[in-house]
């Protein structure tokens, strides 16, 4: 019951987006330096570039609800079937959840330690909040629940009303429970609903694709609006954000994946990375876990000696639900934007971000820019302006290429670990049977 994202859902040139980022940022910096606060520049920003950038963002906001519900429901429904698949399913679920949570925690610790969003001055932050405060994304967030109020706020009494009011956390919990129920429903009753949800998911991906085709112009307008109002100062925290994401991805690759390989397999990290080099190149160039899947399956069987049945199950499911790099990216992005806008998040709110980022990783499409809409509900839940996503759009494509590498390498690490566990279980079972045979009485002549 796992979703199958269309390969062609989002087609976009990363060079065009990068060009939009550079043109918008440079033009805005120059305009700020030469014409700051002049009536014509203020009017141009307020009436031209800001509305165009807002139009691009609203196209993304518009599709958040159907995308979140369909993607998360199908993702959880796919995991919900794992118990019926025996040891492999349960072990895959366990490793996926633990490693995804570890990736998010790694990113959040780095953001709290390095605080890239604090590079913005208080004056610039106040101006930014004043400029974005009147923009309504149509989504709302509730105060972080405390104590037993957690249950009353997490479980919606009316999911339709929660969706209509844009309360994203209850909608995500409803989708999670709905997916579990869908997994346990009789197959003949669930098939039609699964097909309908897959249709909703693919249509939502196409709409995101429409929005992303406007990304070069939208990013240029958003960056011009920011830099024309605040100058070059706004670019410094953005550079720090990129550095933190890359550092987090590198640490997860070097520390977490290496630990899993050394503890549970016979592979050394260096030999493993040399073996999966074709996957790394394909993932970086396509920014798509789905597009990389054929290469991933081939490398798993030929180079890593993963049995065909384990590779097919773990890697196919992992291409859309086992997204460690994406989960880390989403956690870092939320905390960075909270710092950028001066929103202090408590420990409970940061733990909430961890949980939502893991869920969002399960529901993220394995296509370029597939994670962007799913960051929005996490932002609004913890009280960060949803429009803040526009700050990071210009650098997202490069980060997407990097986090896709971590996603697909993580899929292969999980597959190798599961294969090693299964091989060990088989050997132990064979030894136990052999030991029992030794104790049997001799056969009668």
């Amino acid at each position: 019951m796992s979703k199958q994202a269309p390969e062609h859902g989002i087609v976009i040139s990363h060079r065009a987006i990068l060009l939009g980022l550079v043109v918008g940022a440079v033009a805005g910096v120059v305009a700020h330096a030469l014409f700051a606060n002049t009536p014509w520049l203020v009017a141009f920003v307020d009436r031209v570039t800001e509305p165009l950038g807002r139009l691009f963002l609203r196209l993304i906001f518009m599709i958040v609800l159907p995308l979140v519900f369909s993607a998360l429901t199908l993702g959880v429904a796919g995991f919900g079937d794992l118990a019926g698949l025996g040891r492999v399913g349960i072990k895959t679920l366990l490793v996926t959840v633990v490693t995804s949570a570890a990736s998010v925690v790694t990113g959040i610790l780095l953001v709290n330690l390095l605080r890239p969003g604090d590079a913005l001055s208080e004056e610039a932050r106040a101006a930014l909040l004043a400029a974005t405060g009147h923009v309504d994304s149509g989504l709302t967030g509730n105060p972080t629940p405390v104590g037993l109020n957690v249950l009353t706020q997490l479980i919606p009494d009316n999911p339709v009303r929660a969706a209509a009011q844009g309360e994203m956390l209850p909608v995500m919990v409803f989708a999670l429970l709905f997916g579990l129920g869908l997994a346990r429903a009789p197959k003949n009753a669930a098939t039609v609903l699964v097909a309908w949800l897959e249709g909703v998911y693919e249509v939502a991906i196409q709409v995101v694709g429409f929005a992303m085709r406007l990304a070069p112009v939208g990013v240029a307008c958003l960056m011009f609006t920011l830099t024309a109002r605040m100058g070059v100062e706004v670019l410094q925290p953005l550079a720090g954000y990129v550095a933190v994401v890359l550092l987090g991805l590198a640490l997860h690759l070097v520390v977490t994946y290496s630990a899993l390989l050394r503890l549970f397999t016979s592979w050394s990290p260096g030999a493993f990375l040399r073996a999966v080099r074709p996957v790394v190149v394909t993932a970086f160039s396509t920014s798509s876990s789905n597009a990389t899947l054929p290469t991933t399956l081939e490398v798993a069987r030929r180079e890593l000696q993963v049995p065909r049945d384990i590779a097919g199950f773990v890697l196919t499911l992992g291409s859309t639900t086992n997204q460690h790099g994406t989960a880390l990216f989403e956690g870092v992005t939320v905390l960075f934007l909270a710092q950028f806008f001066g929103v202090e998040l408590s420990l409970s709110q940061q733990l909430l971000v961890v949980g939502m980022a893991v869920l969002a990783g399960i529901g993220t499409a394995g296509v370029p820019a597939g994670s962007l809409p799913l960051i929005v509900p996490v932002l609004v839940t913890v009280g960060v302006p949803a429009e803040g996503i526009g700050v990071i759009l210009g650098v997202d494509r490069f980060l997407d290429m990097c986090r896709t590498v971590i996603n697909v390498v993580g899929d292969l690490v999980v597959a190798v670990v599961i294969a090693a566990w299964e091989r060990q279980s088989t050997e132990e079972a064979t030894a136990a049977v052999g030991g029992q045979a030794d104790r049997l009485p001799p056969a009668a002549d």
Side-chain angles (χ1 to χ4, degrees), residues 69 378 387 427:
F69 179 76
V378 188
E387 293 71 29
E427 292 172 354

Side-chain angles (χ1 to χ4, degrees), residues 65-395:
L65 276 168
L67 179 61
V68 166
F69 179 76
S70 60
L72 192 53
T73 298
L74 290 169
V76 173
F79 270 128
D81 277 340
L82 298 188
L85 296 172
R87 294 191 310 269
V88 173
I90 295 173
K91 290 175 181 177
T92 301
L93 174 60
L94 175 64
V95 176
T96 295
V97 172
V98 170
T99 51
S100 293
S103 71
V104 183
V105 170
T106 298
I108 286 180
L109 288 175
L110 287 175
V111 178
N112 281 303
L113 179 64
L114 301 177
R115 302 193 67 84
D118 287 351
L120 199 64
S121 68
E122 290 300 325
E123 295 79 9
R125 185 174 290 114
L128 181 64
L129 284 171
T132 59
H134 65 282
V135 181
D136 181 15
S137 67
L139 305 174
T140 62
N142 292 324
T144 305
V146 179
L148 292 179
N149 288 328
V150 170
L151 295 178
T152 61
Q153 292 196 26
L154 289 184
I155 301 177
D157 57 351
N158 187 335
V160 176
R161 182 174 62 197
Q165 295 176 349
E167 298 176 357
M168 293 308 303
L169 186 56
V171 170
M172 293 180 77
V173 172
F174 174 68
L176 188 154
L177 296 175
F178 198 86
L180 291 175
L182 187 61
R184 296 182 63 86
K187 186 175 182 180
N188 59 342
T191 300
V192 175
L193 184 54
V194 169
W196 180 81
L197 285 170
E198 288 176 344
V200 171
Y201 172 79
E202 293 198 13
V203 169
I205 288 295
Q206 293 294 332
V207 174
V208 174
F210 298 153
M212 293 309 296
R213 289 186 183 98
L214 300 177
V217 176
V219 167
C221 291
L222 290 167
M223 291 308 300
F224 182 88
T225 299
L226 280 172
T227 53
R229 283 174 171 161
M230 290 178 285
V232 73
E233 181 183 2
V234 75
L235 299 179
Q236 182 179 350
L238 189 61
Y241 159 75
V242 172
V244 169
V245 173
L246 294 179
L247 178 59
L249 294 175
L251 285 175
H252 190 62
L253 174 67
V254 172
V255 177
T256 306
Y257 290 166
S258 296
L260 287 172
L261 291 170
R262 289 189 180 280
L263 287 174
F264 302 114
T265 77
S266 59
W267 282 94
S268 69
F272 178 85
L273 289 177
R274 285 191 295 272
V276 304
R277 192 161 24 190
V279 173
V280 171
V281 173
T282 305
F284 188 79
S285 60
T286 63
S287 298
S288 171
S289 300
N290 290 345
T292 311
L293 183 58
T295 305
T296 308
L297 288 168
E298 185 70 14
V299 168
R301 291 196 295 265
R302 286 184 177 271
E303 303 295 334
L304 304 180
Q305 305 302 311
V306 177
R308 183 180 296 270
D309 55 343
I310 293 178
F313 172 71
V314 174
L315 297 177
T316 301
L317 186 67
S319 66
T320 51
T321 57
N322 185 29
Q323 311 239 1
H324 307 156
T326 297
L328 183 148
F329 162 77
E330 291 174 350
V332 170
T333 299
V334 172
L335 261 71
F336 164 73
L337 290 176
Q339 294 173 2
F340 192 80
F341 285 95
V343 179
E344 290 296 329
L345 299 183
S346 65
L347 177 60
S348 61
Q349 287 176 308
Q350 294 192 32
L351 292 176
L352 184 61
V353 170
V354 173
M356 293 185 72
V358 172
L359 284 179
I362 292 174
T364 295
V367 294
S371 63
L372 289 177
L374 292 176
I375 295 175
V376 176
V378 188
L379 290 173
V380 298
T381 298
V382 294
V384 179
E387 293 71 29
I389 195 174
V391 176
I392 57 98
L393 282 176
V395 297

